[in-house]
Amino acid sequence: MARRLRWKVPAIALSLAVVAALGASAPGAASADGRGPDDDSRASASLEAASTAIPTIARPLVTDATRSDPTLRPSGGKAVSTATATSGCDGCSGTATTLQTVRVVGNGAAVADNVAAAWSTCAGCSSTAVSVQIITGPRASAVVVNNRSLAVNVMCSGCRTTAVALQFVIIGGSQRELSAETKALIQQIEQELGLKLSAAKAAHPEDSWRDEAKRDADDAANRAKAVIAEDTQAPGVTARVEVDAGG
């Protein structure tokens, strides 16, 4: 299983550029004052699925979740899944989770893009983003996948900022679409991961926090992979895990 863990504090200009770019491509996101949907799980068939959690002083705890089940037709296309969490107030917590299951139909070329991004500029706050994308289909002439995470701390004190991107690809053989029960179970695994990461204490040393985030993400990926393999009876499931943590 491919995995990566990074920790860095880039310049403010870089973080602002990333915020602007992801914000522009996030349909259904919360409003600028953080008064978007919280403690809510939305479902759709959109090729672009996004969750966004932006807490404020007035709403210090915000969670947002979305699920999408699109189909890429024989002509091909692109599916995008993003989860974005931003905390800019002391003591605030934002958790965003997105689950997208993409079914590829026919031999058309398919592109799947999965992104988790979290950033914090505050004291004693947390930002957690978890995005899970699953691509299934009996045939595909080419499936191009991108899976990445980004966690940024800027002028933070006692922050916990975590981004986890999990991507699973099952192409070829006799795979069928995931059952509703399996989709619900994977969503539960994803949301449990988001809650576990956001509830971690800021008192942990930086190294142990990054190791803990990595272990939690790998555990969630292994659980989801086992559920997918059992449901599809696929001979192999490719899993990609990207973790970025700032302590």
Side-chain angles (χ1 to χ4, degrees):
M1 177 185 300
R3 60 191 181 190
R4 179 178 62 187
L5 182 67
R6 300 168 296 152
W7 177 57
K8 52 190 174 183
V9 183
I12 294 178
L14 175 59
S15 66
L16 292 177
V18 174
V19 171
L22 287 176
S25 61
S31 63
D33 65 355
R35 297 184 62 83
D38 64 351
D39 297 316
D40 178 38
S41 182
R42 303 177 307 284
S44 72
S46 173
L47 287 172
E48 295 187 3
S51 61
T52 304
I54 309 176
T56 64
I57 295 176
R59 297 182 69 133
L61 176 62
V62 174
T63 64
D64 187 31
T66 188
R67 192 184 80 189
S68 173
D69 301 288
T71 298
L72 284 174
R73 299 298 176 183
S75 57
K78 181 177 182 179
V80 179
S81 177
T82 62
T84 307
T86 306
S87 289
C89 50
D90 295 348
C92 292
S93 177
T95 302
T97 57
T98 298
L99 170 62
Q100 185 181 57
T101 56
V102 184
R103 185 184 178 197
V104 179
V105 178
N107 296 316
V111 177
D113 198 18
N114 188 43
V115 182
W119 49 91
S120 303
T121 307
C122 41
C125 64
S126 68
S127 301
T128 305
V130 180
S131 186
V132 178
Q133 188 179 54
I134 304 169
I135 303 98
T136 67
R139 298 173 302 278
S141 59
V143 178
V144 179
V145 293
N146 300 294
N147 188 56
R148 56 198 184 279
S149 62
L150 174 66
V152 178
N153 282 351
V154 179
M155 300 176 65
C156 257
S157 174
C159 299
R160 282 293 175 258
T161 309
T162 316
V164 177
L166 306 180
Q167 190 177 54
F168 304 90
V169 181
I170 314 100
I171 294 294
S174 58
Q175 287 89 340
R176 57 185 173 82
E177 185 178 3
L178 294 179
S179 67
E181 293 79 7
T182 295
K183 292 176 183 177
L185 183 55
I186 293 174
Q187 187 173 36
Q188 178 181 340
I189 293 172
E190 175 195 45
Q191 292 180 345
E192 287 175 356
L193 173 61
L195 291 174
K196 183 180 293 186
L197 294 173
S198 64
K201 301 299 184 183
H204 288 319
E206 293 173 357
D207 289 342
S208 66
W209 159 247
R210 295 195 297 273
D211 292 342
E212 183 179 345
K214 170 180 168 293
R215 286 193 299 268
D216 289 341
D218 281 348
D219 176 67
N222 288 332
R223 291 168 61 197
K225 182 177 179 179
V227 170
I228 294 169
E230 181 178 2
D231 187 29
T232 62
Q233 296 298 305
V237 178
T238 300
R240 295 174 173 82
V241 181
E242 292 284 339
V243 180
D244 201 3

